[in-house]
Amino acid sequence: MILDLKDLTALDKQHYLQHIIGPRPICFASTINSEGGVNLSPFSFFNLFSIQPPIVIFSPSRRLRNNTTKHTLQNILAIPEVVINMVTYDMVQQTSLASCEYGKEVDEFIKAGFTKEKAIRVRPPMVKESKAKLECKVLEVKPLGTEGGAGNLVICEVLHMHIDETLLDNGKINQRKLELVARLGGDWYCKVSAENLFQVAKPNTQIGIGVDSLPESIRQSKILSGNNLGQLANVHEVPAVHPSFDDEHLKNIFQYYSINPAEMEKEVHLYAAKLLSEGKVQEAWQVLLATDNIM
Ligand SMILES: Cc1cc2nc3c(=O)[nH]c(=O)nc-3n(C[C@H](O)[C@H](O)[C@H](O)COP(=O)(O)O)c2cc1C
């Protein structure tokens, strides 16, 4: 399916874009109005854009339904300060509750059952239950349009961070311990839990050889996936064959399939793919190189 955005209704644009562009982190924004009334609302049009200066941006949109603006935006235009409370799995249902369209005078901390905690540098209170919160000053609000659905970029400088001690190992955040949630399309969310986290090795100083520099037999493999090729091509140079490399399983493959080279290559590639799925890139290379040598 190919879609031209100019032919879509606003609701369809929302449907496709919000399902495709995800998961989006959730900024649970606490703001105050000029009378000191507190507001707390979630926004998933949100991300980190700069480290120096430390800038995050979120976007309270004009409502599609009636083109009205959100209390959060009105508050920020009056008092340009916000606390961004990060949302973890244990608080996602209450966070969603806070997104109800309560009246201006209603304090969503009370409605959603969260506890206020005083911030250090800004006036809006923090959500005590949130394990990571950012005290921010608003540098600029940039409207992206005047129609319903138009976003308003709230460009924030982070002044202070509060990080729960339970997330830390030697002063650094253990990603496995911070069960962030993120928004997808419609009612879908996802949970960043230890079981679905994985790491991708990214050398910063050394440049990977690239898929185009892989030996032909690897590049044309019917077994090795795009991810497998990406891992193999991320090495700085094609590794040398290690004469000391000794692998029982590989020896068995060589023996068993000695009269059938095509089957042998298939088995070796399956074995290399298994090693790669375990993060054993150097071993996978040795297995593939050893096979190239005997074939
Ligand atoms: C997880 C989540 C993410 C949301 N993200 C956005 C968003 O990025 N932009 C937006 O305008 N509304 C978003 N909403 C809807 C607002 O939270 C909702 O309109 C809320 O009533 C605004 O409150 P306010 O008028 O008190 O600021 C989101 C709702 C939820 C539950």
Side-chain angles (χ1 to χ4, degrees), residues 39 41-45 59 61 63 70-72 99 183 189:
N39 192 280
S41 298
F43 298 94
S44 71
F45 292 178
S59 174
S61 309
R63 289 194 178 82
K70 311 225 166 154
H71 296 145
T72 302
S99 78
R183 189 90 191 267
Y189 286 72

Side-chain angles (χ1 to χ4, degrees), residues 33 44 54 93 100 142 144 148 156 177 222 228 235 250 288 291:
N33 61 29
S44 71
Q93 298 288 350
C100 291
K142 183 169 173 36
L144 299 176
C156 309
K177 294 184 178 170
K222 293 197 169 55
N228 294 151
V235 295
L250 186 63
L288 293 164
T291 314

Side-chain angles (χ1 to χ4, degrees), residues 15 24 49 91 97 112 119 139-140 143 171 174 188 194 204 260 271 275 282:
H15 169 87
R24 299 181 302 281
F49 288 90
M91 54 189 284
L97 180 59
L139 301 181
E140 189 185 338
N174 180 335
W188 292 103
N204 284 324
N260 189 340
Y271 183 36
L275 291 169
Q282 286 307 325

Side-chain angles (χ1 to χ4, degrees), residues 18 24-27 31 39-46 58-63 69-75 92 95-103 106 108 150 182-183 189:
Q18 291 192 184
R24 299 181 302 281
I26 302 173
C27 145
T31 55
N39 192 280
L40 182 63
S41 298
F43 298 94
S44 71
F45 292 178
F46 164 57
F58 70 98
S59 174
S61 309
R62 290 176 159 277
R63 289 194 178 82
T69 58
K70 311 225 166 154
H71 296 145
T72 302
L73 178 67
Q74 296 160 17
N75 287 357
V92 67
T95 303
S96 173
L97 180 59
S99 78
C100 291
E101 282 183 32
Y102 293 114
V106 176
E108 286 97 353
R183 189 90 191 267
Y189 286 72

Side-chain angles (χ1 to χ4, degrees), residues 4-101:
D4 186 336
L5 275 277
K6 76 173 172 356
D7 300 332
L8 297 182
T9 64
L11 279 176
D12 275 344
K13 282 182 212 166
Q14 183 182 43
H15 169 87
Y16 291 112
L17 291 171
Q18 291 192 184
H19 279 76
I20 292 171
I21 300 175
R24 299 181 302 281
I26 302 173
C27 145
F28 200 18
S30 159
T31 55
I32 54 166
N33 61 29
S34 35
E35 287 86 51
V38 173
N39 192 280
L40 182 63
S41 298
F43 298 94
S44 71
F45 292 178
F46 164 57
N47 224 308
L48 167 67
F49 288 90
S50 167
I51 302 296
Q52 301 227 74
I55 302 292
V56 298
I57 301 180
F58 70 98
S59 174
S61 309
R62 290 176 159 277
R63 289 194 178 82
L64 267 180
R65 201 176 60 249
N66 54 14
N67 199 11
T68 53
T69 58
K70 311 225 166 154
H71 296 145
T72 302
L73 178 67
Q74 296 160 17
N75 287 357
I76 276 167
L77 291 171
I79 311 279
E81 298 175 3
V82 56
V83 175
I84 294 179
N85 304 277
M86 297 309 298
V87 179
T88 47
Y89 185 67
D90 50 352
M91 54 189 284
V92 67
Q93 298 288 350
Q94 284 169 282
T95 303
S96 173
L97 180 59
S99 78
C100 291
E101 282 183 32

Side-chain angles (χ1 to χ4, degrees), residues 165-199:
E165 295 284 336
T166 60
L167 303 176
L168 301 175
D169 285 341
N170 298 320
K172 295 286 185 282
I173 294 178
N174 180 335
Q175 194 69 75
R176 292 186 185 86
K177 294 184 178 170
L178 178 64
E179 286 201 317
L180 290 169
V181 289
R183 189 90 191 267
L184 296 144
D187 290 344
W188 292 103
Y189 286 72
C190 68
K191 172 180 169 187
V192 184
S193 50
E195 314 85 69
N196 60 27
L197 280 171
F198 61 93
Q199 289 174 302

